[in-house]
Amino acid sequence: MVVENRILITKQETELKTVKRELEETKRNCHCGSTSDEKKITAKKVEVPQKKATLIRRGRIIPPTSHDGPVAFYGYMSTPMTNIGGHHTLVFDVIKTNSGNGLHPTTGVFTAPSSGFYVFTWTIREFDSSYHSVELVVNGQEVGALYQHAGPGEDDMSSTIVVIHVNEGEDVFLRTKMDFNQGVINSSIHGYSSFAGWKLN
């Protein structure tokens, strides 16, 4: 996505240089006042920096967040997570649904593309004496939690759900609590630890 944005910016800068050359040529060949064509060229010249500015948010080059279409995402862990401490953000690197492009596969963070009421659900799989408490964080505040404990030799899964209002641009993610963390959060083709959400229309 970053590469695509850089290509777009480079293309727009090239177009801007072409427009500048055309404007200078028009000025040299025309001794009259400002024409409607010149105004159009000047207006076109101003558009590029504005588009460029919308690509930078919170120090990251990402698309603008405003989104009018449906918003929904679903991702899961491709492999188990080991040696997990407190306040560790869970990353769901396999993304199957991402309408609105809110879920980031490398950080595990969902950034709301538009304001509204959202449903979030997550599933945690534990194996053989592992246990973890996982909380849902919205805009820096815990709004829900799930505790899963597998006994010796057991392989168990639990899920929960939260419905909450989220403002455009706010971050939503799952992380372990500071305590009640031991062992592995399991995830495999036999059962994935996953994170999903969608906006209610």
Side-chain angles (χ1 to χ4, degrees), residues 67-73 99 110 112-120 164-166 168 196-201:
H67 178 76
D68 293 329
V71 179
F73 71 90
S99 178
F110 169 77
S114 57
S115 300
F117 284 95
Y118 284 80
V119 179
F120 297 102
I164 190 167
H165 187 274
V166 182
E168 178 181 328
W198 59 94
K199 182 183 174 184
L200 297 173
N201 292 325

Side-chain angles (χ1 to χ4, degrees), residues 74-147:
Y74 164 66
Y76 61 80
M77 296 178 187
S78 60
T79 58
M81 294 184 74
T82 59
N83 301 318
I84 306 166
H87 280 186
H88 181 92
T89 302
L90 304 185
V91 177
F92 303 88
D93 57 314
V94 178
I95 297 180
K96 293 297 187 180
T97 302
N98 202 12
S99 178
N101 295 314
L103 184 61
H104 305 286
T106 56
T107 65
V109 176
F110 169 77
T111 303
S114 57
S115 300
F117 284 95
Y118 284 80
V119 179
F120 297 102
T121 181
W122 64 102
T123 299
I124 300 299
R125 181 181 172 199
E126 304 281 346
F127 177 71
D128 194 22
S129 301
S130 294
Y131 57 84
H132 291 90
S133 185
V134 175
E135 61 188 2
L136 180 71
V137 179
V138 177
N139 198 30
Q141 302 295 316
E142 179 198 338
V143 297
L146 168 70
Y147 177 73

Side-chain angles (χ1 to χ4, degrees), residues 47-60:
E47 284 177 13
V48 177
Q50 290 172 346
K51 284 182 182 176
K52 212 169 160 185
T54 61
L55 298 175
I56 300 172
R57 186 172 65 82
R58 295 185 190 167
R60 299 174 288 180

